[in-house]
Amino acid sequence: MIGVIRRAAIAPPSIAIGTLIAAVMVAVLQMAPLLQTMRPQTASYDLPTMLLYHSLLPRMATALLAGACLGLSGALFQQVLRNPLASPTTLGISAGANLALVAVTLFVPDLLGYGRDLVALAGSVAVALIVFALGARRGFSPFSLVLSGLVISLWCGALSAVLMLLNERYLVSLFIWGSGSLSQQSWDIPVSLSYKLGIVAVLAGLLVRPLGLLELGEGNATALGVPVKSLRIAAVAIAVALAAFVTSAVGVIGFIGLVAPIIIRLAGARRPAEILLWSAITGGGLLWLADGAVQLVAGAMSDFLPTGAVTAVLGSPLLLFLLPRLKVRHRAAAQDAIGVHGSGRVSRFAVVALAVTTLVLAVLVSLFIGRIGVGDWAFIDLNYFFELLALRLPRVLAAMSAGAMLAIAGTILQRLTGNEMASPEVLGISAGATLGLTAGLFVIGIPGLGGQLALAGLGAMIVLAVILLNGSRGSFAPERVLLAGIALSAMADAVVGVLSATGDPRSMFLLRWMSGSTYNVDLMTAVSVTGFLVVFGAVALRLHRWLELLPLGPTAAGALGVPLRTSRFVLFVLAGVLSAAATLAVGPLSFVGLMAPHIARELGLRKAVEQLLVSAVLGGLLMVAADWIGRNIVFPYQLPAGIVSALVGAPFLILLLRRRRESI
């Protein structure tokens, strides 16, 4: 027993110091070429000397300090919220700071005169208030907090993408900075971070003893005189400030604040003092090591390669590896997760008829009404009827078909997992399709439609395989399945971010496609996407019996003759294929796969067939409306339909999270 305690006490500092030693070794390799070419007689004007003292060394110091801030921030979040998955990234804190800085830079640059830190802090605080308000309604469960943070992050990302697409001349610089760039030309940022970290570290040190008493439980801590509510507010405020300082200085750095405290906890650290201390040191070492490795590998391109995106690429697999080892409290699945929330007395025929009628009207409006000339609203000009119809019809048809496929996939996933938050976007299936298409785009060039579908489908299948493998270890608990999807989505975004930062012309095509653009959809593509909807939609309807019985649970479904392993595999594959085909048309940024099944359920549709049909109609309606809004709201500019649907879908999901209480 004593040996175990000793090992537990030795392991955290060993890991932290070992990480620093590895970072120092990489730093020596970086400095070696400059030291060899330095000329002492002209040291003050020698280029290698200037690069060493005014670029490389400040960058190393910035990486060490920023990583320490993020490690300490993540440790505070995890300690006070009792949530091993809390971090500035997963809670959306960094995304809020990033959006605030981007918006102020573009529209109210005068506010930056009051300090970038204040702007970033305002954005972080706003997001924190929203996330914690949602989490408080569900007892601050790890699942609800992380899911709330994910939704807020996606919404902030969608809004940031809109701002960037409307201001393309700033796109590259904003994108590289927003993805976490540690490139430095002076000591200003590391010096600023050093005193901020010092002040905040002292404040955090004052919380060590109360945090230790909180480990005894809230009731015991309160009995010992600890103001639990004030303690939480103070700890969260410090953690938010640390994340905001880093985002203000270098942009969004992903996963350091999540991974560093997890590693220290798994190494055996238990007391708050050692968790906070060694998490900060480990975070600094990890970021310094990652940034040094990036510079060595990328060479001259290192200044244009966002370190934050690289840390997400490396951190996502690590999160998948650590996820089965974490003790995450499971929420009880809602008994009516796939049931009806309402009286159920509404005529099914009336619901279907209303949905179809609304879709037809939306299609007609999208085809025949729009803004022209100087922005006036007008019906389609009969003199140019066929020309305009040839431009609008493919977009409308593709948007409608893609929305319907996403809705069908979402319905399948929600009924299959018994999880009302499941969807192609949240589970990372759309992100897998993005990775597949990205690999094809940068490796073999731009393939045809068949090649794009094959690559997107392969990426979606790989993500599904990872989710199935990870979920099987935890009995397909909704939390683990969704968190695996979060990690995979973050990795996909980071990979695309790294490629986009290289300046390759194909990255602009990829960015527009990821935003859900239907700009370049031709009639052949639209017809093909519609064909996929007809074929795979029919397959989904053919499998309605499985979808009807699987939500009853494995025991009941098996007793009624459902082949559990085969049915789950086939339905997951079907959802992946539908998601891949839809992603080709509208990109991965969309909440249609989540919204449409929920709306259908709220309308009183509980049977699989009717929910599939109405969800498909509603999904098509939502995407047609998003495409029409995107074409007209900022005329003569256009917004991608995927971004518009995400901007609308995120508030919808926030409202859903706010209204629905779950037993934890």
Side-chain angles (χ1 to χ4, degrees):
M1 182 66 180
I2 296 176
V4 173
I5 295 175
R6 287 177 178 174
R7 286 195 298 271
I10 294 173
S14 299
I15 290 175
I17 295 172
T19 305
L20 285 178
I21 292 174
V24 170
M25 294 175 64
V26 172
V28 171
L29 294 176
Q30 290 179 262
M31 292 187 293
L34 294 177
L35 293 174
Q36 292 174 359
T37 57
M38 286 175 59
R39 293 176 293 178
Q41 63 273 21
T42 58
S44 59
Y45 300 100
D46 187 44
L47 181 59
T49 303
M50 295 178 68
L51 289 175
L52 176 64
Y53 289 108
H54 300 287
S55 179
L56 184 57
L57 289 179
R59 178 166 184 156
M60 292 178 180
T62 300
L64 179 63
L65 292 168
C69 287
L70 293 174
L72 180 56
S73 176
L76 283 169
F77 275 130
Q78 294 179 17
Q79 189 72 20
V80 75
L81 298 176
R82 313 297 296 275
N83 181 355
L85 295 171
S87 76
T89 304
T90 56
L91 296 180
I93 306 300
S94 297
N98 181 57
L99 175 60
L101 286 166
V102 170
V104 168
T105 301
L106 290 174
F107 299 116
V108 200
D110 292 344
L111 291 179
L112 295 176
Y114 295 98
R116 292 168 57 90
D117 289 341
L118 291 178
V119 175
L121 191 58
S124 296
V125 169
V127 168
L129 291 175
I130 296 173
V131 172
F132 293 134
L134 294 172
R137 299 179 66 88
R138 301 185 176 206
F140 291 100
S141 72
F143 171 75
S144 63
L145 280 174
V146 173
L147 184 59
S148 301
L150 165 69
V151 174
I152 298 298
S153 294
L154 289 177
W155 189 85
C156 291
L159 189 53
S160 296
V162 169
L163 297 176
M164 291 182 185
L165 288 173
L166 294 178
N167 297 271
E168 290 187 11
R169 60 188 178 277
Y170 304 121
L171 177 63
V172 175
S173 60
L174 281 176
F175 191 89
I176 294 176
W177 171 82
S179 299
S181 175
L182 296 177
S183 180
Q184 300 296 317
Q185 287 81 42
S186 72
W187 285 91
D188 291 344
I189 287 180
V191 169
S192 175
L193 278 177
S194 63
Y195 75 77
K196 292 172 186 173
L197 176 59
I199 293 173
V200 176
V202 172
L203 296 176
L206 298 176
L207 301 181
V208 168
R209 185 176 180 276
L211 288 174
L213 296 176
L214 189 61
E215 292 290 310
L216 302 175
E218 292 188 16
N220 293 329
T222 302
L224 292 172
V226 176
V228 175
K229 185 175 181 180
S230 299
L231 174 63
R232 280 182 170 160
I233 293 175
V236 167
I238 292 174
V240 168
L242 285 167
F245 292 154
V246 173
T247 304
S248 170
V250 297
V252 178
I253 303 291
F255 281 92
I256 296 295
L258 174 65
V259 172
I262 288 178
I263 292 175
I264 293 303
R265 287 178 182 277
L266 292 178
R270 294 294 178 266
R271 293 183 300 171
E274 59 183 2
I275 291 174
L276 297 181
L277 174 62
W278 299 121
S279 294
I281 295 176
T282 302
L286 283 174
L287 186 55
W288 186 8
L289 177 61
D291 185 58
V294 167
Q295 291 187 80
L296 283 178
V297 173
M301 289 296 298
S302 60
D303 286 341
F304 301 96
L305 197 60
T307 305
V310 175
T311 58
V313 172
L314 300 176
S316 299
L318 183 59
L319 176 58
L320 289 174
F321 174 75
L322 295 175
L323 190 56
R325 294 161 176 78
L326 296 176
K327 295 181 180 180
V328 181
R329 290 180 294 164
H330 293 273
R331 69 187 181 104
Q335 296 298 316
D336 57 352
I338 51 97
V340 182
H341 305 285
S343 64
R345 298 178 180 176
V346 180
S347 168
R348 297 187 182 93
F349 177 78
V351 170
V352 174
L354 178 61
V356 172
T357 301
T358 307
L359 174 61
V360 171
L361 290 175
V363 169
L364 292 176
V365 169
S366 185
L367 288 175
F368 295 105
I369 299 178
R371 299 174 71 176
I372 61 173
V374 294
D376 296 330
W377 292 91
F379 287 95
I380 191 170
D381 191 337
L382 296 180
N383 295 323
Y384 303 99
F385 177 81
F386 292 104
E387 290 82 355
L388 290 175
L389 194 63
L391 294 174
R392 294 179 180 178
L393 181 59
R395 294 183 58 166
V396 173
L397 190 60
M400 180 183 67
S401 300
M405 284 192 286
L406 286 173
I408 293 173
T411 302
I412 292 173
L413 292 170
Q414 289 181 18
R415 298 185 73 93
L416 181 59
T417 63
N419 186 346
E420 61 182 8
M421 298 302 174
S423 75
E425 305 90 348
V426 176
L427 291 185
I429 299 173
S430 296
T434 302
L435 279 177
L437 186 62
T438 301
L441 182 65
F442 281 84
V443 175
I444 62 176
I446 301 178
L449 179 62
Q452 291 179 18
L453 180 64
L455 291 167
L458 178 61
M461 292 302 107
I462 292 174
V463 168
L464 274 173
V466 173
I467 291 175
L468 288 171
L469 179 61
N470 187 77
S472 63
R473 297 176 180 176
S475 302
F476 290 96
E479 293 82 0
R480 299 197 184 279
V481 173
L482 289 181
L483 290 173
I486 291 171
L488 292 166
S489 297
M491 184 169 63
D493 292 341
V495 168
V496 174
V498 170
L499 294 174
S500 299
T502 62
D504 193 300
R506 291 170 292 187
S507 63
M508 182 58 68
F509 165 82
L510 188 62
L511 181 63
R512 289 190 178 277
W513 175 80
M514 282 186 64
S515 301
S517 171
T518 54
Y519 300 155
N520 299 320
V521 173
D522 54 21
L523 187 59
M524 177 61 69
T525 302
V527 171
S528 301
V529 173
T530 304
F532 286 123
L533 168 63
V534 173
V535 173
F536 293 109
V539 173
L541 290 173
R542 181 69 178 82
L543 301 177
H544 69 90
R545 184 174 180 272
W546 288 352
L547 292 172
E548 199 75 59
L549 297 178
L550 282 173
L552 300 177
T555 303
L560 292 172
V562 176
L564 297 178
R565 187 180 298 272
T566 300
S567 61
R568 285 174 172 170
F569 175 78
V570 170
L571 289 171
F572 266 120
V573 170
L574 179 59
V577 172
L578 285 165
S579 303
T583 301
L584 286 177
V586 297
L589 259 182
S590 170
F591 277 100
V592 171
L594 181 66
M595 289 188 292
H598 274 292
I599 297 174
R601 192 161 53 244
E602 291 291 338
L603 291 174
L605 304 173
R606 67 187 323 166
K607 292 187 177 297
V609 172
E610 58 193 28
Q611 190 182 10
L612 283 170
L613 288 173
V614 174
S615 294
V617 173
L618 292 173
L621 170 63
L622 290 169
M623 284 308 303
V624 168
D627 182 66
W628 182 78
I629 292 172
R631 280 193 280 124
N632 294 285
I633 193 170
V634 290
F635 184 86
Y637 301 102
Q638 296 188 35
L639 297 179
I643 285 183
V644 175
S645 63
L647 289 174
V648 175
F652 170 84
L653 183 52
I654 291 172
L655 179 63
L656 185 71
L657 287 169
R658 183 176 180 273
R659 291 179 57 192
R660 294 184 182 274
R661 293 179 177 269
E662 294 173 321
S663 55
I664 304 300

